[in-house]
Amino acid sequence: MTTTSKHAATLAIHAGFRKDSATNAVAVPIYQSTAFDLESTDRASDLFALKEFGNIYSRIHNPTSTVLEERMAALEGGVAALAVASGQAATAMALQNIAHAGDNIVSSTDLYGGSWNLLANTFRTMGIEVRFVDPADPENFRRATDERTRAYYAETLPNPKLQVFPIGEVARIGEAMGVPLIVDNTAAPLICRPFDHGAHVVVYSATKYLGGHGTSIGGLIIDGGRFDWEKHGDRFPMLTRPDPSYHGAIWTEAVRPLGPVAYIIKARTTLQRDLGCPMSPFNAFQFIQGLETLALRMREHCRNAERVSEWLAGRPEVTRVIHPSRFTGEQKRRAETYLSGGMGGLVGFELAGGRQAGRRFIDALQLFYHVANIGDVRSLAIHPASTTHSQLSPEEQRATGVTEGYVRLSVGIEHIADILGDLDQALAVVGQPALAA
Ligand code: PLP
């Protein structure tokens, strides 16, 4: 028995593992083994026929990754999960599992650049059309849906805008239209549980807050188990009709004794088998270490970020501060509806001095690292206009929420006095707007 707790702080430490059955080890061992003994030929046949679930080969299952998968499914309130090599792989596989050439996906425009490229360019070359819609009006998702729509896709807390996605509103449209909502919850673990609001699948870049220490790349797909694939069987033949790649298995029927896990079992037994992008057992171990302190870290990230945004709002060099704690109107309502226990660790702000000021500010930072990453215990900063978004035209930059003087902070868990001290000395270098111009 692992734990019966419903509390995230306990699940993050105990779900999915009590002790190692072979050695009584309390920490989850790294099972660095490619293959696992199949014992008898009868058992081998049962494993391959999915009559029994067990370890065969680490591309498909690995016992260290299994603990991470079970822990994340428990934390999110889902039924099962699949650990993959990166957040990018999680998004790609989550969508490819149900969308093929000729199909389409309706996605929020507010996306991380890597996901944007995957959907707008790579998926297009694969024959999957992605229709981008503004989540300001959830009805845009309904309007873009047709009979070939296979999924809605969005990020809970997309940067740089940090405007919380209307998960419940779009999930309800999806329920009515027969389209599942897949949510990237990378920036909001624990503070948002997308399944509680009606999302159907959750993906993560584990690389960020879940790992938390900036050591490993990984991703997760979590199945909420609540989407009725059979009710919408015509839309999802890949789950409800015989699959020639697995001796004609009909996934919704084949896995019925195991519960509502058709989506995730198909992802594992076909896509993971064929595309081959599993998480390494060593990285799974690192993410398990990260999860153990996730509740503590998220609390501190959120607290520090709120203090930073308050402090920045009082500075003359800063014209705008972007953090969900500062929103008003509909954006405030969404933040309060979907986030609890904190409003996230990411903060954006605009410097009056524009591009020059943004660059000088970044170069002056001493405690903050200048890296293209988020979710690390260390405070991180970047000037998107000259880095992550530099390939976009000024109009495109503005559409994504990036202006010339925009700076993104991923606020870490150092002492708040040191964080503010570093921002203070960097702003002093930038100087007043008149000097910087
Ligand atoms: N999703 C979000 C919101 C991200 O910020 C990132 C990476 O920055 C990814 C997905 C991709 O994750 P990875 O770098 O682990 O592939």
Side-chain angles (χ1 to χ4, degrees):
M1 159 125 142
T2 55
T3 175
T4 54
S5 175
K6 300 245 175 307
H7 300 289
T10 307
L11 291 169
I13 297 169
H14 292 282
F17 185 84
R18 180 67 192 172
K19 62 179 180 177
D20 180 46
S21 54
T23 63
N24 280 358
V26 169
V28 180
I30 304 172
Y31 292 98
Q32 195 74 32
S33 181
T34 304
F36 300 86
D37 192 72
L38 299 170
E39 299 169 341
S40 66
T41 50
D42 278 349
R43 180 163 181 268
S45 311
D46 284 352
L47 284 167
F48 277 85
L50 303 179
K51 287 189 190 146
E52 179 185 338
F53 273 86
N55 302 307
I56 300 175
Y57 190 72
S58 278
R59 177 160 19 90
I60 319 285
H61 289 99
N62 174 275
T64 312
S65 300
T66 301
V67 175
L68 176 66
E69 289 161 352
E70 290 184 9
R71 199 158 284 181
M72 282 305 299
L75 268 180
E76 288 294 331
V79 290
L82 176 63
V84 296
S86 67
Q88 284 297 109
T91 298
M93 285 174 64
L95 291 166
Q96 285 174 302
N97 202 33
I98 45 176
H100 299 164
D103 295 337
N104 68 68
I105 292 157
V106 181
S107 170
S108 167
T109 43
D110 295 353
L111 289 187
Y112 154 67
S115 302
W116 180 280
N117 265 327
L118 169 70
L119 269 53
N121 298 311
T122 301
F123 271 19
R124 184 163 42 80
T125 66
M126 295 171 167
I128 300 172
E129 181 200 352
V130 180
R131 303 170 174 181
F132 291 99
V133 297
D134 185 349
D137 180 1
E139 286 297 318
N140 287 337
F141 280 80
R142 192 196 307 273
R143 287 191 272 271
T145 305
D146 65 17
E147 73 286 351
R148 295 302 296 265
T149 304
R150 299 292 181 253
Y152 295 155
Y153 185 78
E155 289 177 20
T156 307
L157 185 58
N159 77 80
K161 289 184 189 165
L162 300 178
Q163 295 181 349
V164 177
F165 183 77
I167 299 173
E169 290 88 329
V170 175
R172 278 193 291 280
I173 294 170
E175 288 284 339
M177 306 293 281
V179 178
L181 171 62
I182 302 180
V183 173
D184 179 342
N185 203 43
T186 297
L190 299 189
I191 58 173
C192 179
R193 296 214 326 165
F195 293 144
D196 292 351
H197 302 287
H200 303 96
V201 173
V202 168
V203 296
Y204 274 100
S205 166
T207 316
K208 318 296 179 190
Y209 290 103
L210 301 187
H213 298 81
T215 63
S216 313
I217 302 275
L220 284 139
I221 307 171
I222 305 155
D223 185 350
R226 290 183 202 125
F227 192 81
D228 191 341
W229 307 105
E230 285 178 314
K231 182 173 167 197
H232 306 290
D234 289 344
R235 216 184 262 282
F236 300 102
M238 58 291 271
L239 285 163
T240 60
R241 310 266 193 277
D243 183 344
S245 90
Y246 217 96
H247 48 69
I250 297 174
W251 291 108
T252 46
E253 289 175 12
V255 307
R256 207 181 306 281
L258 301 169
V261 288
Y263 170 89
I264 204 78
I265 298 273
K266 176 189 174 291
R268 184 188 295 282
T269 51
T270 64
L271 286 186
Q272 188 70 297
R273 175 197 64 188
D274 301 345
L275 301 178
C277 39
M279 182 182 286
S280 83
F282 180 74
N283 283 8
F285 171 81
Q286 294 280 68
F287 294 128
I288 289 166
Q289 305 317 298
L291 282 190
E292 292 184 351
T293 57
L294 181 64
L296 287 177
R297 285 186 288 106
M298 283 310 289
R299 211 176 299 150
E300 208 57 19
H301 281 296
C302 293
R303 212 167 62 138
N304 280 350
E306 204 159 329
R307 295 275 301 276
V308 164
S309 38
E310 277 163 25
W311 183 88
L312 284 169
R315 294 292 304 216
E317 305 88 342
V318 174
T319 52
R320 194 158 75 103
V321 180
I322 301 146
H323 186 257
S325 63
R326 306 195 63 76
F327 290 154
T328 54
E330 174 61 7
Q331 284 311 321
K332 179 181 166 74
R333 189 198 65 77
R334 288 185 186 177
E336 288 176 352
T337 303
Y338 295 111
L339 303 181
S340 64
M343 298 266 169
L346 303 178
V347 176
F349 67 97
E350 268 173 41
L351 285 164
R355 173 179 288 259
Q356 263 313 98
R359 294 175 68 117
R360 285 176 62 196
F361 174 82
I362 295 284
D363 286 338
L365 289 169
Q366 292 171 6
L367 179 76
F368 278 70
Y369 282 85
H370 179 205
V371 297
N373 193 19
I374 58 169
D376 195 316
V377 287
R378 297 156 192 80
S379 288
L380 316 173
I382 200 156
H383 177 236
S386 59
T387 56
T388 50
H389 290 62
S390 58
Q391 280 108 42
L392 304 187
S393 67
E395 298 74 49
E396 286 171 327
Q397 285 189 6
R398 267 194 297 282
T400 61
V402 169
T403 55
E404 297 271 293
Y406 180 91
V407 173
R408 182 187 76 197
L409 304 178
S410 172
V411 180
I413 62 169
E414 301 95 338
H415 195 285
I416 188 66
D418 293 322
I419 294 173
L420 296 181
D422 195 32
L423 296 173
D424 191 37
Q425 67 77 27
L427 283 177
V429 172
V430 170
Q432 295 297 318
L435 295 176

PDB file of all heavy atoms in Angstrom, residues 338-365:
ATOM      1  N   TYR A 338      -9.146  29.450 -11.501  1.00  0.00           N
ATOM      2  CA  TYR A 338      -8.340  28.289 -11.881  1.00  0.00           C
ATOM      3  C   TYR A 338      -7.057  28.103 -11.085  1.00  0.00           C
ATOM      4  O   TYR A 338      -6.457  27.031 -11.133  1.00  0.00           O
ATOM      5  CB  TYR A 338      -8.035  28.353 -13.392  1.00  0.00           C
ATOM      6  CG  TYR A 338      -9.303  28.227 -14.194  1.00  0.00           C
ATOM      7  CD1 TYR A 338      -9.823  29.285 -14.920  1.00  0.00           C
ATOM      8  CD2 TYR A 338     -10.021  27.040 -14.154  1.00  0.00           C
ATOM      9  CE1 TYR A 338     -11.018  29.169 -15.608  1.00  0.00           C
ATOM     10  CE2 TYR A 338     -11.217  26.911 -14.839  1.00  0.00           C
ATOM     11  CZ  TYR A 338     -11.705  27.982 -15.562  1.00  0.00           C
ATOM     12  OH  TYR A 338     -12.901  27.849 -16.225  1.00  0.00           O
ATOM     13  N   LEU A 339      -6.609  29.135 -10.376  1.00  0.00           N
ATOM     14  CA  LEU A 339      -5.378  28.989  -9.589  1.00  0.00           C
ATOM     15  C   LEU A 339      -5.736  29.058  -8.112  1.00  0.00           C
ATOM     16  O   LEU A 339      -6.549  29.881  -7.701  1.00  0.00           O
ATOM     17  CB  LEU A 339      -4.383  30.106  -9.921  1.00  0.00           C
ATOM     18  CG  LEU A 339      -3.963  30.252 -11.389  1.00  0.00           C
ATOM     19  CD1 LEU A 339      -2.950  31.396 -11.537  1.00  0.00           C
ATOM     20  CD2 LEU A 339      -3.381  28.956 -11.946  1.00  0.00           C
ATOM     21  N   SER A 340      -5.112  28.186  -7.323  1.00  0.00           N
ATOM     22  CA  SER A 340      -5.312  28.323  -5.882  1.00  0.00           C
ATOM     23  C   SER A 340      -4.007  27.986  -5.177  1.00  0.00           C
ATOM     24  O   SER A 340      -3.225  27.160  -5.637  1.00  0.00           O
ATOM     25  CB  SER A 340      -6.449  27.424  -5.391  1.00  0.00           C
ATOM     26  OG  SER A 340      -6.122  26.089  -5.594  1.00  0.00           O
ATOM     27  N   GLY A 341      -3.783  28.668  -4.063  1.00  0.00           N
ATOM     28  CA  GLY A 341      -2.537  28.462  -3.323  1.00  0.00           C
ATOM     29  C   GLY A 341      -1.394  29.276  -3.893  1.00  0.00           C
ATOM     30  O   GLY A 341      -0.242  29.124  -3.485  1.00  0.00           O
ATOM     31  N   GLY A 342      -1.681  30.149  -4.853  1.00  0.00           N
ATOM     32  CA  GLY A 342      -0.628  30.991  -5.430  1.00  0.00           C
ATOM     33  C   GLY A 342      -0.925  31.250  -6.883  1.00  0.00           C
ATOM     34  O   GLY A 342      -1.751  30.567  -7.493  1.00  0.00           O
ATOM     35  N   MET A 343      -0.280  32.277  -7.434  1.00  0.00           N
ATOM     36  CA  MET A 343      -0.580  32.705  -8.808  1.00  0.00           C
ATOM     37  C   MET A 343       0.611  32.453  -9.742  1.00  0.00           C
ATOM     38  O   MET A 343       0.716  33.086 -10.791  1.00  0.00           O
ATOM     39  CB  MET A 343      -0.938  34.190  -8.805  1.00  0.00           C
ATOM     40  CG  MET A 343      -2.185  34.493  -7.985  1.00  0.00           C
ATOM     41  SD  MET A 343      -3.649  34.512  -9.036  1.00  0.00           S
ATOM     42  CE  MET A 343      -4.965  34.557  -7.849  1.00  0.00           C
ATOM     43  N   GLY A 344       1.507  31.567  -9.328  1.00  0.00           N
ATOM     44  CA  GLY A 344       2.596  31.190 -10.223  1.00  0.00           C
ATOM     45  C   GLY A 344       3.870  31.971  -9.977  1.00  0.00           C
ATOM     46  O   GLY A 344       3.859  33.033  -9.331  1.00  0.00           O
ATOM     47  N   GLY A 345       4.960  31.441 -10.484  1.00  0.00           N
ATOM     48  CA  GLY A 345       6.286  31.994 -10.228  1.00  0.00           C
ATOM     49  C   GLY A 345       6.830  32.841 -11.355  1.00  0.00           C
ATOM     50  O   GLY A 345       7.977  33.290 -11.296  1.00  0.00           O
ATOM     51  N   LEU A 346       6.032  33.048 -12.420  1.00  0.00           N
ATOM     52  CA  LEU A 346       6.518  33.831 -13.561  1.00  0.00           C
ATOM     53  C   LEU A 346       6.002  35.261 -13.455  1.00  0.00           C
ATOM     54  O   LEU A 346       4.837  35.481 -13.120  1.00  0.00           O
ATOM     55  CB  LEU A 346       6.031  33.215 -14.879  1.00  0.00           C
ATOM     56  CG  LEU A 346       6.415  31.750 -15.094  1.00  0.00           C
ATOM     57  CD1 LEU A 346       5.833  31.235 -16.410  1.00  0.00           C
ATOM     58  CD2 LEU A 346       7.931  31.588 -15.106  1.00  0.00           C
ATOM     59  N   VAL A 347       6.869  36.212 -13.749  1.00  0.00           N
ATOM     60  CA  VAL A 347       6.495  37.632 -13.721  1.00  0.00           C
ATOM     61  C   VAL A 347       7.041  38.276 -14.994  1.00  0.00           C
ATOM     62  O   VAL A 347       8.197  38.039 -15.362  1.00  0.00           O
ATOM     63  CB  VAL A 347       7.121  38.346 -12.496  1.00  0.00           C
ATOM     64  CG1 VAL A 347       6.801  39.850 -12.523  1.00  0.00           C
ATOM     65  CG2 VAL A 347       6.628  37.733 -11.182  1.00  0.00           C
ATOM     66  N   GLY A 348       6.215  39.077 -15.643  1.00  0.00           N
ATOM     67  CA  GLY A 348       6.695  39.864 -16.782  1.00  0.00           C
ATOM     68  C   GLY A 348       6.645  41.336 -16.430  1.00  0.00           C
ATOM     69  O   GLY A 348       5.823  41.744 -15.607  1.00  0.00           O
ATOM     70  N   PHE A 349       7.522  42.110 -17.002  1.00  0.00           N
ATOM     71  CA  PHE A 349       7.393  43.566 -16.821  1.00  0.00           C
ATOM     72  C   PHE A 349       8.019  44.288 -18.000  1.00  0.00           C
ATOM     73  O   PHE A 349       8.838  43.735 -18.733  1.00  0.00           O
ATOM     74  CB  PHE A 349       7.995  44.038 -15.487  1.00  0.00           C
ATOM     75  CG  PHE A 349       9.487  43.894 -15.364  1.00  0.00           C
ATOM     76  CD1 PHE A 349      10.321  44.980 -15.619  1.00  0.00           C
ATOM     77  CD2 PHE A 349      10.052  42.703 -14.976  1.00  0.00           C
ATOM     78  CE1 PHE A 349      11.688  44.870 -15.491  1.00  0.00           C
ATOM     79  CE2 PHE A 349      11.428  42.575 -14.843  1.00  0.00           C
ATOM     80  CZ  PHE A 349      12.244  43.659 -15.105  1.00  0.00           C
ATOM     81  N   GLU A 350       7.568  45.535 -18.169  1.00  0.00           N
ATOM     82  CA  GLU A 350       8.063  46.335 -19.283  1.00  0.00           C
ATOM     83  C   GLU A 350       8.874  47.489 -18.762  1.00  0.00           C
ATOM     84  O   GLU A 350       8.445  48.198 -17.842  1.00  0.00           O
ATOM     85  CB  GLU A 350       6.876  46.901 -20.063  1.00  0.00           C
ATOM     86  CG  GLU A 350       6.468  46.008 -21.197  1.00  0.00           C
ATOM     87  CD  GLU A 350       5.184  46.518 -21.829  1.00  0.00           C
ATOM     88  OE1 GLU A 350       5.053  47.751 -21.985  1.00  0.00           O
ATOM     89  OE2 GLU A 350       4.341  45.670 -22.137  1.00  0.00           O
ATOM     90  N   LEU A 351      10.017  47.684 -19.370  1.00  0.00           N
ATOM     91  CA  LEU A 351      10.870  48.817 -19.007  1.00  0.00           C
ATOM     92  C   LEU A 351      10.562  49.978 -19.947  1.00  0.00           C
ATOM     93  O   LEU A 351      10.452  49.790 -21.174  1.00  0.00           O
ATOM     94  CB  LEU A 351      12.336  48.414 -19.150  1.00  0.00           C
ATOM     95  CG  LEU A 351      12.841  47.503 -18.021  1.00  0.00           C
ATOM     96  CD1 LEU A 351      14.144  46.833 -18.412  1.00  0.00           C
ATOM     97  CD2 LEU A 351      13.014  48.295 -16.734  1.00  0.00           C
ATOM     98  N   ALA A 352      10.456  51.180 -19.357  1.00  0.00           N
ATOM     99  CA  ALA A 352      10.137  52.348 -20.163  1.00  0.00           C
ATOM    100  C   ALA A 352      11.192  52.587 -21.239  1.00  0.00           C
ATOM    101  O   ALA A 352      10.896  53.088 -22.317  1.00  0.00           O
ATOM    102  CB  ALA A 352      10.024  53.575 -19.258  1.00  0.00           C
ATOM    103  N   GLY A 353      12.421  52.188 -20.954  1.00  0.00           N
ATOM    104  CA  GLY A 353      13.508  52.465 -21.889  1.00  0.00           C
ATOM    105  C   GLY A 353      13.577  51.532 -23.090  1.00  0.00           C
ATOM    106  O   GLY A 353      14.542  51.592 -23.862  1.00  0.00           O
ATOM    107  N   GLY A 354      12.590  50.621 -23.262  1.00  0.00           N
ATOM    108  CA  GLY A 354      12.532  49.785 -24.458  1.00  0.00           C
ATOM    109  C   GLY A 354      13.643  48.750 -24.545  1.00  0.00           C
ATOM    110  O   GLY A 354      14.190  48.285 -23.540  1.00  0.00           O
ATOM    111  N   ARG A 355      14.003  48.409 -25.797  1.00  0.00           N
ATOM    112  CA  ARG A 355      14.944  47.320 -26.069  1.00  0.00           C
ATOM    113  C   ARG A 355      16.296  47.528 -25.373  1.00  0.00           C
ATOM    114  O   ARG A 355      16.829  46.606 -24.741  1.00  0.00           O
ATOM    115  CB  ARG A 355      15.136  47.205 -27.586  1.00  0.00           C
ATOM    116  CG  ARG A 355      16.228  46.229 -28.018  1.00  0.00           C
ATOM    117  CD  ARG A 355      16.310  46.176 -29.521  1.00  0.00           C
ATOM    118  NE  ARG A 355      15.154  45.473 -30.062  1.00  0.00           N
ATOM    119  CZ  ARG A 355      15.197  44.200 -30.473  1.00  0.00           C
ATOM    120  NH1 ARG A 355      16.302  43.518 -30.457  1.00  0.00           N
ATOM    121  NH2 ARG A 355      14.115  43.622 -30.947  1.00  0.00           N
ATOM    122  N   GLN A 356      16.823  48.762 -25.502  1.00  0.00           N
ATOM    123  CA  GLN A 356      18.134  49.039 -24.899  1.00  0.00           C
ATOM    124  C   GLN A 356      18.106  48.794 -23.393  1.00  0.00           C
ATOM    125  O   GLN A 356      19.014  48.177 -22.827  1.00  0.00           O
ATOM    126  CB  GLN A 356      18.526  50.510 -25.157  1.00  0.00           C
ATOM    127  CG  GLN A 356      19.429  50.718 -26.336  1.00  0.00           C
ATOM    128  CD  GLN A 356      20.580  49.732 -26.344  1.00  0.00           C
ATOM    129  OE1 GLN A 356      20.516  48.716 -27.050  1.00  0.00           O
ATOM    130  NE2 GLN A 356      21.619  49.973 -25.552  1.00  0.00           N
ATOM    131  N   ALA A 357      17.027  49.289 -22.763  1.00  0.00           N
ATOM    132  CA  ALA A 357      16.894  49.147 -21.314  1.00  0.00           C
ATOM    133  C   ALA A 357      16.780  47.664 -20.953  1.00  0.00           C
ATOM    134  O   ALA A 357      17.394  47.200 -19.986  1.00  0.00           O
ATOM    135  CB  ALA A 357      15.675  49.916 -20.827  1.00  0.00           C
ATOM    136  N   GLY A 358      16.006  46.912 -21.752  1.00  0.00           N
ATOM    137  CA  GLY A 358      15.834  45.478 -21.484  1.00  0.00           C
ATOM    138  C   GLY A 358      17.163  44.749 -21.524  1.00  0.00           C
ATOM    139  O   GLY A 358      17.483  43.940 -20.642  1.00  0.00           O
ATOM    140  N   ARG A 359      17.974  45.058 -22.525  1.00  0.00           N
ATOM    141  CA  ARG A 359      19.272  44.382 -22.663  1.00  0.00           C
ATOM    142  C   ARG A 359      20.212  44.781 -21.524  1.00  0.00           C
ATOM    143  O   ARG A 359      20.927  43.937 -20.967  1.00  0.00           O
ATOM    144  CB  ARG A 359      19.899  44.735 -24.015  1.00  0.00           C
ATOM    145  CG  ARG A 359      19.083  44.183 -25.181  1.00  0.00           C
ATOM    146  CD  ARG A 359      19.657  44.646 -26.499  1.00  0.00           C
ATOM    147  NE  ARG A 359      20.962  44.043 -26.733  1.00  0.00           N
ATOM    148  CZ  ARG A 359      21.246  43.231 -27.732  1.00  0.00           C
ATOM    149  NH1 ARG A 359      20.309  42.929 -28.603  1.00  0.00           N
ATOM    150  NH2 ARG A 359      22.431  42.735 -27.893  1.00  0.00           N
ATOM    151  N   ARG A 360      20.228  46.080 -21.216  1.00  0.00           N
ATOM    152  CA  ARG A 360      21.131  46.538 -20.149  1.00  0.00           C
ATOM    153  C   ARG A 360      20.730  45.933 -18.808  1.00  0.00           C
ATOM    154  O   ARG A 360      21.575  45.573 -17.992  1.00  0.00           O
ATOM    155  CB  ARG A 360      21.120  48.075 -20.076  1.00  0.00           C
ATOM    156  CG  ARG A 360      21.915  48.683 -21.221  1.00  0.00           C
ATOM    157  CD  ARG A 360      21.836  50.187 -21.223  1.00  0.00           C
ATOM    158  NE  ARG A 360      22.398  50.758 -20.009  1.00  0.00           N
ATOM    159  CZ  ARG A 360      22.194  52.011 -19.609  1.00  0.00           C
ATOM    160  NH1 ARG A 360      21.437  52.803 -20.322  1.00  0.00           N
ATOM    161  NH2 ARG A 360      22.748  52.468 -18.517  1.00  0.00           N
ATOM    162  N   PHE A 361      19.419  45.811 -18.599  1.00  0.00           N
ATOM    163  CA  PHE A 361      18.927  45.235 -17.345  1.00  0.00           C
ATOM    164  C   PHE A 361      19.423  43.788 -17.202  1.00  0.00           C
ATOM    165  O   PHE A 361      19.971  43.398 -16.168  1.00  0.00           O
ATOM    166  CB  PHE A 361      17.391  45.285 -17.330  1.00  0.00           C
ATOM    167  CG  PHE A 361      16.789  44.596 -16.152  1.00  0.00           C
ATOM    168  CD1 PHE A 361      16.701  45.240 -14.923  1.00  0.00           C
ATOM    169  CD2 PHE A 361      16.320  43.290 -16.248  1.00  0.00           C
ATOM    170  CE1 PHE A 361      16.165  44.591 -13.813  1.00  0.00           C
ATOM    171  CE2 PHE A 361      15.781  42.643 -15.153  1.00  0.00           C
ATOM    172  CZ  PHE A 361      15.703  43.295 -13.935  1.00  0.00           C
ATOM    173  N   ILE A 362      19.255  43.013 -18.254  1.00  0.00           N
ATOM    174  CA  ILE A 362      19.662  41.593 -18.203  1.00  0.00           C
ATOM    175  C   ILE A 362      21.170  41.498 -17.964  1.00  0.00           C
ATOM    176  O   ILE A 362      21.645  40.711 -17.132  1.00  0.00           O
ATOM    177  CB  ILE A 362      19.293  40.868 -19.522  1.00  0.00           C
ATOM    178  CG1 ILE A 362      17.770  40.818 -19.700  1.00  0.00           C
ATOM    179  CG2 ILE A 362      19.923  39.479 -19.595  1.00  0.00           C
ATOM    180  CD1 ILE A 362      17.039  39.811 -18.855  1.00  0.00           C
ATOM    181  N   ASP A 363      21.937  42.320 -18.675  1.00  0.00           N
ATOM    182  CA  ASP A 363      23.399  42.250 -18.527  1.00  0.00           C
ATOM    183  C   ASP A 363      23.849  42.653 -17.124  1.00  0.00           C
ATOM    184  O   ASP A 363      24.919  42.241 -16.675  1.00  0.00           O
ATOM    185  CB  ASP A 363      24.078  43.145 -19.571  1.00  0.00           C
ATOM    186  CG  ASP A 363      24.017  42.523 -20.964  1.00  0.00           C
ATOM    187  OD1 ASP A 363      23.858  41.287 -21.041  1.00  0.00           O
ATOM    188  OD2 ASP A 363      24.109  43.256 -21.960  1.00  0.00           O
ATOM    189  N   ALA A 364      23.039  43.453 -16.426  1.00  0.00           N
ATOM    190  CA  ALA A 364      23.438  43.939 -15.102  1.00  0.00           C
ATOM    191  C   ALA A 364      23.090  42.954 -13.974  1.00  0.00           C
ATOM    192  O   ALA A 364      23.590  43.095 -12.857  1.00  0.00           O
ATOM    193  CB  ALA A 364      22.766  45.281 -14.830  1.00  0.00           C
ATOM    194  N   LEU A 365      22.229  41.954 -14.255  1.00  0.00           N
ATOM    195  CA  LEU A 365      21.801  41.038 -13.189  1.00  0.00           C
ATOM    196  C   LEU A 365      22.982  40.222 -12.664  1.00  0.00           C
ATOM    197  O   LEU A 365      23.860  39.803 -13.436  1.00  0.00           O
ATOM    198  CB  LEU A 365      20.708  40.100 -13.713  1.00  0.00           C
ATOM    199  CG  LEU A 365      19.344  40.737 -13.971  1.00  0.00           C
ATOM    200  CD1 LEU A 365      18.453  39.779 -14.740  1.00  0.00           C
ATOM    201  CD2 LEU A 365      18.667  41.171 -12.661  1.00  0.00           C
TER     202      LEU A 365
END
